[in-house]
């Protein structure tokens, strides 16, 4: 039986947040942002280990207490220049330590998606368990899409039929994911699925919801706070 591993690339600086502290450590619901993803992933009964990939120069991680995740958490300080580099380096480090087998499932999740729920995660695991290729959480695009020129003038309205917004976790077998990321080492890919697609495979889109959004801009933090607060109130 394959094992399930989560991998959180957390080596970004989050420059679009306009803060000196990297985004994954910004305070959210009384915890550093990455805590919330870690909490959901570590509590999942099917996931055996959660690997966090930090930037080699990261000094912030070690200033927090992560002991409640001790039985599942593994930390590698091998983050790279891009998200894809961080994921690839983390996968290679896990293999070097004999942690993972080629047929194991890897769930890559952004540190900056703190509103992932246990039920979204279980849905992904359940719907992809027997899948050949793997897939990802995603939502159909809701807004009308405009293509713009360099002066932000509309040049076209794009049909949104069949268009989805990719989220994470993105779940692939180790063997497929590492090969995909090795193949695309110098290409500007922004998620794991696109690397897998370039191998000619078709990852499956698993319906999620917009609350699993990526905290990217300063105003996103308040929305994430409201969502987490609202969940706590209704627990
Ligand atoms: O910057 P962005 O929001 O796209 O980052 C998505 C995820 O990738 C974040 O969890 C971030 O920490 C991670 N990342 C990384 N290494 C990089 C850049 C981003 O692990 N060099």
């Amino acid at each position: 039986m394959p094992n399930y591993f989560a991998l959180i690339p957390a080596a970004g600086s989050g420059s679009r947040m306009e803060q000196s502290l990297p985004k994954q450590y910004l305070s959210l619901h009384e915890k550093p942002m990455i805590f919330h993803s870690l909490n959901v992933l570590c509590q999942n009964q099917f996931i055996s280990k959660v690997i966090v990939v930090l930037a080699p120069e990261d000094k912030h991680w070690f200033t927090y207490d992560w002991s409640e995740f001790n039985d599942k958490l593994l930390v590698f300080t091998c983050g790279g220049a891009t998200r894809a580099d961080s994921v690839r380096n983390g996968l290679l480090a896990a293999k070097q330590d004999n942690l993972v087998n080629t047929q194991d499932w890897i769930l890559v999740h952004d540190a900056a998606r703190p509103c992932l729920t246990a039920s979204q995660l279980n849905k992904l695991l359940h719907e992809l368990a027997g899948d050949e290729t793997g897939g990802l959480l995603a939502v159909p695009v809701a807004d009308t899409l405009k293509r713009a020129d360099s002066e932000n003038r509309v040049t076209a309205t794009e049909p949104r039929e069949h268009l989805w917004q990719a989220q994470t976790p993105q779940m692939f077998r180790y063997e497929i994911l590492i090969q995909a990321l090795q193949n695309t080492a110098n290409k500007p890919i922004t998620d794991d699925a696109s690397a897998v697609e370039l191998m000619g495979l078709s990852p499956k889109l698993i319906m999620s919801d917009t609350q699993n959004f990526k905290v990217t801009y300063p105003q996103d933090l308040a929305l994430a706070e409201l969502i987490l607060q609202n969940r706590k109130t209704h627990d």
Side-chain angles (χ1 to χ4, degrees):
M1 286 292 281
N3 289 311
Y4 292 84
F5 292 86
L7 188 151
I8 305 182
S13 60
S15 52
R16 287 172 291 184
M17 287 299 287
E18 300 162 10
Q19 304 256 357
S20 55
L21 192 62
K23 163 165 79 170
Q24 56 272 24
Y25 299 117
L26 293 179
S27 181
L28 178 62
H29 211 49
E30 295 167 16
K31 300 280 183 190
M33 190 187 303
I34 191 174
F35 172 94
H36 302 286
S37 308
L38 264 177
N39 199 30
V40 171
L41 293 166
C42 286
Q43 280 185 20
N44 188 282
Q45 58 172 318
F46 300 106
I47 295 178
S48 45
K49 293 283 175 203
V50 179
I51 299 164
V52 174
V53 181
L54 302 177
E57 67 280 6
D58 188 330
K59 300 277 184 291
H60 302 286
W61 173 267
F62 304 95
T63 64
Y64 300 97
D65 177 9
W66 304 104
S67 54
E68 68 189 276
F69 303 127
N70 269 354
D71 56 334
K72 289 212 181 166
L73 182 61
L74 291 167
V75 179
F76 293 145
T77 51
C78 57
T82 66
R83 179 189 185 281
D85 290 336
S86 298
V87 174
R88 187 173 50 248
N89 292 352
L91 291 175
L92 291 173
K95 192 82 175 81
Q96 203 170 9
D97 286 2
N98 285 325
L99 266 173
V100 291
N101 291 313
T102 52
Q103 289 309 304
D104 287 339
W105 285 108
I106 310 290
L107 285 85
V108 184
H109 184 60
D110 292 330
R113 289 186 194 271
C115 300
L116 174 71
T117 64
S119 63
Q120 286 164 345
L121 178 59
N122 279 325
K123 186 175 183 207
L124 180 79
L125 290 167
H126 179 71
E127 294 196 22
L128 292 179
D131 202 89
E132 290 280 297
T133 302
L136 59 146
L137 289 181
V139 282
V141 167
D143 294 318
T144 300
L145 294 175
K146 303 291 185 190
R147 186 169 295 281
D149 64 14
S150 57
E151 286 166 0
N152 291 354
R153 292 275 167 195
V154 175
T155 57
T157 297
E158 301 288 346
R160 68 179 177 215
E161 205 189 5
H162 301 306
L163 284 185
W164 292 61
Q165 277 178 265
Q167 300 181 341
T168 69
Q170 304 202 348
M171 172 172 157
F172 298 101
R173 303 264 184 189
Y174 179 92
E175 189 175 38
I176 289 180
L177 186 56
I178 192 66
Q179 196 189 330
L181 292 172
Q182 300 282 31
N183 291 348
T184 52
N186 296 313
K187 296 201 172 110
I189 55 152
T190 51
D191 75 344
D192 315 286
S194 50
V196 171
E197 290 153 37
L198 288 170
M199 292 171 72
L201 299 171
S202 297
K204 181 141 173 73
L205 298 167
I206 306 297
M207 179 73 81
S208 175
D209 67 65
T210 51
Q211 291 196 356
N212 183 29
F213 71 102
K214 187 169 67 169
V215 175
T216 305
Y217 300 106
Q219 63 272 25
D220 296 342
L221 212 51
L223 179 58
E225 183 73 47
L226 272 176
I227 291 170
L228 295 175
Q229 181 63 46
N230 187 46
R231 281 184 196 157
K232 192 178 173 195
T233 311
H234 290 94
D235 266 355

